[in-house]
Amino acid sequence: MKPVIDVRDAERVYQVTEEIAVRALDGVTVRIERGEHVAIMGASGSGKSTLMNILGCLDVPTAGTYRLDGIDVRDYDDDELSDLRNAKIGFVFQAFNLVPRMNALAQVELPLSYAGVARKERRRRAAAALDAVGMRERVDHLPSELSGGQQQRVAVARAIVTNPSLILADEPTGNLDSRSTAEVLDIFAALNAEGRTVVMITHEDDVAAHAQRVIRMADGRILEPALV
């Protein structure tokens, strides 16, 4: 079975000026199999955010290859990458990124709306996703009526509603208290137990400890083996 993530010898160089170039990734090779739960760790400047942008098809390597679910992203233009993100990746961010005037059900429907799914089917799938994260009783609530942990649960429901190949979580507990952190990490563990592939970007050891495998980065490189 092909891996969900297959990065080979990836480099990412940002040309600041004609004379100055910043090498954010320096020959990174990472493979993540379907159904894994992986944490990517590193301090500021380690390259983990650049790697996350590439894994999320928000950026492409300057050199090397990245195949998402078997698809070589180099073959895709910006519009095609956008469609690929919507179909293959569920994003969860530190800041939740919820729309203030939308209730929880409408928030979770959004990716399905972009994908052209009919309204009745959108509602059914959005309600099921909210139920899966324990938010059945909050479908009509606005973000301002929800706690931080509840808002992140809505964000997780929105991430899984399209049944993506990959759940990519960028510092998903960074704005949460310890109780909400534990609840959200339990949800990721449950989703992974169902067979979903989960990749968390974090700088916290206690959060990374919930993953099956930890990949550590520094200076744009992998410090520990990243191939299973």
Side-chain angles (χ1 to χ4, degrees), residues 91-154:
F91 290 95
V92 181
F93 298 100
Q94 177 176 342
F96 316 141
N97 289 359
L98 301 181
V99 182
R101 296 185 180 180
M102 281 188 174
N103 65 26
L105 188 64
Q107 306 272 0
V108 180
E109 283 186 64
L110 273 176
L112 299 176
S113 179
Y114 296 148
V117 177
R119 185 172 184 272
K120 184 176 180 180
E121 178 64 8
R122 290 202 311 264
R123 296 221 135 191
R124 184 192 69 78
R125 290 170 61 177
L130 284 164
D131 190 25
V133 298
M135 290 293 288
R136 176 190 295 180
E137 307 302 323
R138 298 288 188 272
V139 295
D140 294 324
H141 286 60
L142 299 173
S144 60
E145 300 169 326
L146 301 173
S147 69
Q150 290 171 334
Q151 289 185 63
Q152 193 62 296
R153 287 183 184 215
V154 172

Side-chain angles (χ1 to χ4, degrees), residues 78-89:
D78 288 344
D79 288 341
E80 290 169 330
L81 283 176
S82 179
D83 290 340
L84 184 66
R85 285 194 298 272
N86 199 41
K88 297 286 187 180
I89 305 171

Side-chain angles (χ1 to χ4, degrees), residues 12-205:
R12 186 62 176 98
V13 178
Y14 296 100
Q15 199 70 39
V16 181
T17 67
E18 289 186 7
E19 297 81 18
I20 300 175
V22 175
R23 187 176 297 275
L25 290 184
D26 188 9
V28 167
T29 294
V30 177
R31 187 173 70 235
I32 296 175
E33 304 294 340
R34 193 172 307 279
E36 274 202 277
H37 187 181
V38 175
I40 299 177
M41 292 194 69
S44 177
S46 64
K48 70 180 188 301
S49 294
T50 301
L51 179 59
M52 185 212 71
N53 286 339
I54 288 174
L55 298 183
C57 296
L58 300 167
D59 197 2
V60 293
T62 306
T65 62
Y66 172 36
R67 288 181 171 84
L68 171 62
D69 213 16
I71 298 170
D72 191 334
V73 303
R74 294 177 302 178
D75 298 333
Y76 281 55
D77 62 25
D78 288 344
D79 288 341
E80 290 169 330
L81 283 176
S82 179
D83 290 340
L84 184 66
R85 285 194 298 272
N86 199 41
K88 297 286 187 180
I89 305 171
F91 290 95
V92 181
F93 298 100
Q94 177 176 342
F96 316 141
N97 289 359
L98 301 181
V99 182
R101 296 185 180 180
M102 281 188 174
N103 65 26
L105 188 64
Q107 306 272 0
V108 180
E109 283 186 64
L110 273 176
L112 299 176
S113 179
Y114 296 148
V117 177
R119 185 172 184 272
K120 184 176 180 180
E121 178 64 8
R122 290 202 311 264
R123 296 221 135 191
R124 184 192 69 78
R125 290 170 61 177
L130 284 164
D131 190 25
V133 298
M135 290 293 288
R136 176 190 295 180
E137 307 302 323
R138 298 288 188 272
V139 295
D140 294 324
H141 286 60
L142 299 173
S144 60
E145 300 169 326
L146 301 173
S147 69
Q150 290 171 334
Q151 289 185 63
Q152 193 62 296
R153 287 183 184 215
V154 172
V156 173
R158 182 181 58 194
I160 66 174
V161 74
T162 58
N163 195 29
S165 304
L166 170 66
I167 299 172
L168 185 58
D170 183 18
E171 301 283 0
T173 62
N175 285 342
L176 303 181
D177 60 29
S178 57
R179 178 178 176 180
S180 295
T181 291
E183 291 172 349
V184 168
L185 291 175
D186 284 346
I187 289 172
F188 282 130
L191 293 171
N192 178 248
E194 295 173 357
R196 299 179 187 268
T197 306
V198 179
V199 177
M200 296 188 300
I201 310 297
T202 184
H203 66 277
E204 300 177 83
D205 286 306

